[in-house]
Amino acid sequence: MQDYFNGKTVLITGVAGFIGSHLAEQILTFGGKVIGVDNFITGRRINLKEHLENPNFTLLEASVSNPMESYFDPQKHGGLDLVLHFASPASPPAYQANPVETYLVNSSGTHNLLSYLEENSPNTRFLFASTSEVYGDPLIHPQKEDYFGNVNPNGERSCYDESKRLGETICGVFTRTYKMDVRIVRIFNTYGPKMRYDDGRILPNFINQALEKTPLTVYGDGKQTRSYCFVDDLVRGILLFASKDDLQGQTINLGNPEEYTVLETAVLVQKIVNQSVGQENILFANLPKDDPTRRKPDINKAQTLLNFHPEVDFRTGLSKTIEYFKTQESRILE
Ligand code: UDP
């Protein structure tokens, strides 16, 4: 995998985001060049602080919903070996606060990137960051790639999950019609350092509430489940997928299949942060609409095609994330 990236030029959209910034760091470490694009709606400059002086890193401040010609200049930036399309708000509160930007970046953004490449650089490989949300509130458990999902087309989550589904459609059209090397990764719940402090998803909320010794806000009865993947495992899976030959047109789930209820998650965070053992300091709040009841990836395909196996157990990953949220850096929101 490392050899593939050495000397390659990779354009990463959403480079200042949680996952985009980890991808940039790893590719630079492997000897690649990164051209990062971000409009800083939810991305943070602080996530890029190690790279801004790096000659192998270029930052373009732009919205990838616009045509690629408007921010990318091949004379100046050179040829592209790979595009990783990771721009999009991803947390339910963030995408619900930016619904138009969210559906545009996943639909027009995906179309504009692929159209540009089809015309100017058809051999560039393209990987689209899709999501477990394409399965909606799944009726099949665990979720396998061939499951079509159970999605509300006009619900509070639809600006995200339906636009990711359309993004997948666009990827399919370009790979079938123009024979381009387009791949789709469906990312399940991921956590780790560099998440926004005000992200609003379960682990930043619970960790920060536990650190501040305020009650942990469990939505609903807390019996709904999620399966959490530490960011280092996810990034390794993504880069394995991006770097392997002969995976054109493939869609692969990535995540950690270890499943927890929301309540179990709250108790575990309290145990690690405050050494408390029970359900004290938990505040039950309303369950948001269309909140998926169960979610767990079937990762057999990733295991077979990529030899992907999550290595970081939940406790270890949580401890690393808690340490991050204790730092001053985690409080910087730009
Ligand atoms: N959740 C919760 N308290 C919070 C934030 C989230 O109980 O402060 C629940 C939420 O209702 C959902 C699960 O945790 O059932 C995961 O939510 P998250 O926002 O992390 O992302 P999702 O997996 O729903 O996209």
Side-chain angles (χ1 to χ4, degrees), residues 37-291:
V37 193
D38 211 293
N39 64 358
F40 295 97
I41 288 189
T42 53
R44 300 188 303 150
R45 267 166 232 281
I46 191 80
N47 284 345
L48 303 172
K49 70 176 194 320
E50 292 96 353
H51 317 315
L52 291 173
E53 305 295 318
N54 185 336
N56 288 330
F57 180 76
T58 305
L59 177 64
L60 306 177
E61 191 163 345
S63 166
V64 291
S65 299
N66 295 327
M68 193 163 161
E69 297 83 338
S70 65
Y71 57 87
F72 179 78
D73 177 357
Q75 306 299 330
K76 203 160 128 192
H77 303 121
L80 296 175
D81 297 293
L82 173 69
V83 172
L84 302 174
H85 182 24
F86 278 68
S88 175
S91 134
Y95 62 66
Q96 284 160 12
N98 301 283
V100 175
E101 291 84 349
T102 300
Y103 71 64
L104 284 178
V105 74
N106 290 308
S107 54
S108 303
T110 306
H111 171 79
N112 286 336
L113 289 162
L114 282 168
S115 297
Y116 177 90
L117 294 176
E118 193 265 313
E119 222 168 277
N120 301 285
S121 183
N123 293 323
T124 300
R125 193 174 281 176
F126 185 90
L127 181 73
F128 177 54
S130 186
T131 168
S132 56
E133 294 226 20
V134 299
Y135 301 119
D137 189 4
L139 305 175
I140 300 279
H141 194 79
Q143 293 78 54
K144 249 178 115 130
E145 289 85 350
D146 59 5
Y147 177 48
F148 293 164
N150 176 38
V151 176
N152 178 352
N154 190 16
E156 288 172 15
R157 289 178 169 249
S158 57
C159 63
Y160 186 70
D161 50 28
E162 287 291 23
S163 68
K164 286 289 187 189
R165 288 168 68 95
L166 180 53
E168 289 202 11
T169 305
I170 296 165
C171 289
V173 167
F174 276 82
T175 199
R176 285 190 299 273
T177 311
Y178 304 112
K179 311 289 174 242
M180 291 169 67
D181 186 346
V182 182
R183 304 159 181 217
I184 297 167
V185 56
R186 291 191 182 141
I187 300 170
F188 283 67
N189 295 64
T190 302
Y191 69 101
K194 295 194 174 175
M195 287 184 104
R196 290 180 72 96
Y197 160 71
D198 63 349
D199 178 277
R201 278 177 285 189
I202 183 167
L203 291 171
N205 276 9
F206 284 0
I207 291 171
N208 287 309
Q209 289 160 345
L211 288 172
E212 288 155 17
K213 303 210 186 308
T214 57
L216 272 57
T217 51
V218 168
Y219 301 159
D221 59 11
K223 289 193 182 134
Q224 68 274 34
T225 69
R226 293 295 186 272
S227 309
Y228 309 103
C229 186
F230 189 62
V231 66
D232 291 0
D233 280 333
L234 181 88
V235 162
R236 193 179 62 259
I238 292 168
L239 297 182
L240 278 169
F241 188 13
S243 60
K244 278 206 141 196
D245 287 338
D246 304 323
L247 294 176
Q248 171 171 347
Q250 292 286 352
T251 298
I252 300 184
N253 285 340
L254 283 179
N256 185 329
E258 223 184 284
E259 188 181 9
Y260 294 83
T261 68
V262 163
L263 204 50
E264 284 167 347
T265 310
V267 170
L268 185 59
V269 171
Q270 283 288 26
K271 266 191 201 157
I272 300 176
V273 177
N274 292 324
Q275 281 86 46
S276 87
V277 280
Q279 290 184 21
E280 63 270 17
N281 295 325
I282 286 178
L283 180 75
F284 288 92
N286 287 338
L287 186 70
K289 276 190 95 176
D290 294 334
D291 198 279

